[in-house]
Amino acid sequence: MIPFLDLKNINQQYREQLIEVCTRVIDSGWYIGGRELEKFEQNFATFCGTQYAIGVANGLDALILTLRAWKELGKLQDGDEVIVPSNTYIASILAISANQLKPVLVEPDSNTFNLDPKKIEAAITDKTKVILPVHLYGQLAAMPEIMDIAKKYDLLVLEDSAQSHAAEIQGKKAGNWGDASGFSFYPGKNLGALGDAGAITTNDTELANMLKALRNYGSHEKYKNLVQGVNSRLDEMQAAMLDIKLKFLDAETQHRRKIANLYLTGINNPFIALPLNNIKAEEYKQHVWHLFVIRTEHRGALQAYLLENGIQTLIHYPIPPHKQQAYKEWNDLSYPISEQIHTEVMSLPIGPTLSLQDAEHVIRLCNNFKV
């Protein structure tokens, strides 16, 4: 069986170093808010090119707390609108709802799966305050165009970078385009912890200070609570392990790109639509291939065929947010591009430990698939 993603094998590569830092944390007697967190925050901020990285408990909290911080700073208020892609994972939208803000769903570009800048302006009203682009599947959204729109209308930009660690356009990485960015370090991410973890990047000192308080019960100083915060802290153990894995992220990303290139050049089945490979040479780094997502009208049959032949695939994601029971008030709305994407997409195995030989085997099976 070729697994979709072999997390055990991925972490096995760095087992001794992970054990070493875990032992160091255990022996330190300090497990929350210490040197390991500070070190990782500094290193991850440097990696992203930002002034600050603020560790939090998970990627959803990263988005929720950023919007919450803007409310505390007077930049947002209940009922303000946030533009968000209609085909994203539901977490992007949950963060908006959790802050009593209004999600405004906008269709993606069907070629990139990302928010279509051409459709953003039509969705802007006098209540619009934030654009929340999602760098879905590892490809940066059209950030130069989105930032131009944000500047024109004086809007905040919150990047959802949960799937795009190390992606960049024009030398600027994910997490350094908007006013702030939320990252997830869920174990399956390109930079994955061994548990839940997340971070927020920003160049805004005022925002960073508010976020540091909000993640820690609203406390800027011990036992003094200026705002009503939460407990959302990146612990020392996860920070230490993430700092080890960060050193290998660039090399792992290069391997993902090798696998993606094999798929893009090798799969030629007319029943399978590949991700549009229209990235110019100078923008090669804008995609880090967190997922390699194909489209097919015969998804059920193809997935069953691959599984029968020992290939595990997944679907990201089977149900669009506006069709979820959690947002039943949207169930009658129509977003045809998103709906088609969600019925056709399927993710092939890709990861830093997938061998080129196994990738070639996946290609052969995909090309032999018949309807």
Side-chain angles (χ1 to χ4, degrees):
M1 170 68 73
I2 297 176
F4 177 75
L5 185 67
D6 191 343
L7 290 178
K8 181 179 178 180
N9 198 19
I10 289 171
N11 290 311
Q12 188 71 25
Q13 301 174 101
Y14 319 120
R15 185 176 187 274
E16 295 306 317
Q17 294 177 70
L18 293 172
I19 290 174
E20 181 181 343
V21 296
C22 288
T23 301
R24 186 173 73 215
V25 172
I26 292 168
D27 292 346
S28 75
W30 194 292
Y31 309 119
I32 297 288
R35 294 178 181 176
E36 301 294 346
L37 174 63
E38 181 180 356
K39 180 183 175 186
F40 173 68
E41 287 178 332
Q42 290 174 347
N43 288 338
F44 190 65
T46 299
F47 180 84
C48 294
T50 59
Q51 190 171 353
Y52 302 100
I54 300 97
V56 293
N58 54 70
L60 176 57
D61 280 4
L63 299 177
I64 290 175
L65 290 177
T66 302
L67 294 170
R68 171 79 176 277
W70 281 333
K71 291 183 74 175
E72 293 289 351
L73 294 170
K75 296 185 178 184
L76 298 177
Q77 60 184 0
D78 288 0
D80 283 344
E81 295 176 354
V82 180
I83 291 174
V84 64
S86 53
N87 65 314
T88 184
Y89 181 58
I90 199 169
S92 311
I93 297 170
L94 290 173
I96 301 168
S97 302
N99 280 286
Q100 291 74 53
L101 303 169
K102 181 181 177 181
V104 175
L105 306 184
V106 172
E107 288 266 61
D109 181 324
S110 59
N111 291 320
T112 67
F113 305 111
N114 281 332
L115 191 60
D116 188 344
K118 299 182 184 69
K119 297 185 177 77
I120 292 176
E121 285 196 79
I124 294 173
T125 72
D126 58 0
K127 294 287 288 181
T128 306
K129 295 295 185 291
V130 182
I131 303 174
L132 201 163
V134 181
H135 309 315
L136 201 63
Y137 305 149
Q139 182 172 356
L140 271 174
M143 292 310 297
E145 294 91 336
I146 290 172
M147 295 308 298
D148 286 345
I149 294 169
K151 183 177 180 180
K152 178 179 177 181
Y153 292 94
D154 193 25
L155 304 176
L156 295 164
V157 175
L158 172 56
E159 299 172 70
D160 184 337
S161 300
Q163 300 184 4
S164 61
H165 317 71
E168 63 181 70
I169 296 177
Q170 299 170 3
K172 183 182 288 190
K173 283 193 171 75
N176 194 23
W177 279 94
D179 298 279
S181 179
F183 284 87
S184 168
F185 303 123
Y186 180 78
K189 303 300 185 185
N190 289 26
L191 178 60
L194 277 74
D196 268 324
I200 302 150
T201 55
T202 186
N203 293 305
D204 185 332
T205 300
E206 184 181 36
L207 176 62
N209 289 336
M210 178 59 72
L211 286 165
K212 289 175 184 178
L214 283 173
R215 71 176 176 182
N216 187 37
Y217 302 100
S219 176
H220 290 74
E221 183 181 340
K222 194 168 185 178
Y223 300 130
K224 292 183 180 180
N225 304 79
L226 300 183
V227 293
Q228 297 177 23
V230 299
N231 178 0
S232 180
R233 297 177 297 204
L234 176 58
D235 66 66
E236 289 285 279
M237 193 73 78
Q238 295 298 344
M241 290 189 286
L242 282 166
D243 201 51
I244 291 295
K245 296 184 71 175
L246 179 60
K247 299 172 184 177
F248 302 97
L249 180 56
D250 283 336
E252 291 194 351
T253 300
Q254 289 305 314
H255 186 76
R256 286 177 178 274
R257 288 178 174 140
K258 286 182 181 178
I259 298 296
N261 188 60
L262 284 177
Y263 286 159
L264 289 167
T265 57
I267 297 174
N268 55 22
N269 190 316
F271 297 113
I272 297 173
L274 299 172
L276 186 64
N277 189 28
N278 63 344
I279 300 173
K280 299 177 183 177
E282 64 269 21
E283 302 293 359
Y284 174 70
K285 293 184 177 181
Q286 79 180 60
H287 208 319
V288 294
W289 300 103
H290 171 61
L291 300 171
F292 190 93
V293 180
I294 62 172
R295 292 175 64 177
T296 176
E297 295 178 0
H298 309 282
R299 184 171 70 186
L302 177 58
Q303 188 171 40
Y305 161 78
L306 290 174
L307 185 60
E308 288 170 4
N309 286 277
I311 309 297
Q312 183 186 32
T313 61
L314 294 179
I315 298 172
H316 299 89
Y317 302 95
I319 305 173
H322 70 282
K323 295 299 184 183
Q324 296 282 0
Q325 179 65 21
Y327 289 100
K328 56 183 179 293
E329 66 273 20
W330 294 345
N331 287 173
D332 292 332
L333 298 180
S334 176
Y335 294 92
I337 296 174
S338 294
E339 289 160 19
Q340 184 176 11
I341 287 172
H342 284 267
T343 59
E344 293 182 355
V345 293
M346 189 176 77
S347 303
L348 299 180
I350 193 166
T353 59
L354 182 68
S355 71
L356 301 184
Q357 292 78 10
D358 281 348
E360 293 283 6
H361 183 55
V362 173
I363 292 168
R364 284 192 294 272
L365 287 171
C366 284
N367 287 338
N368 290 335
F369 172 72
K370 295 180 176 60
V371 177

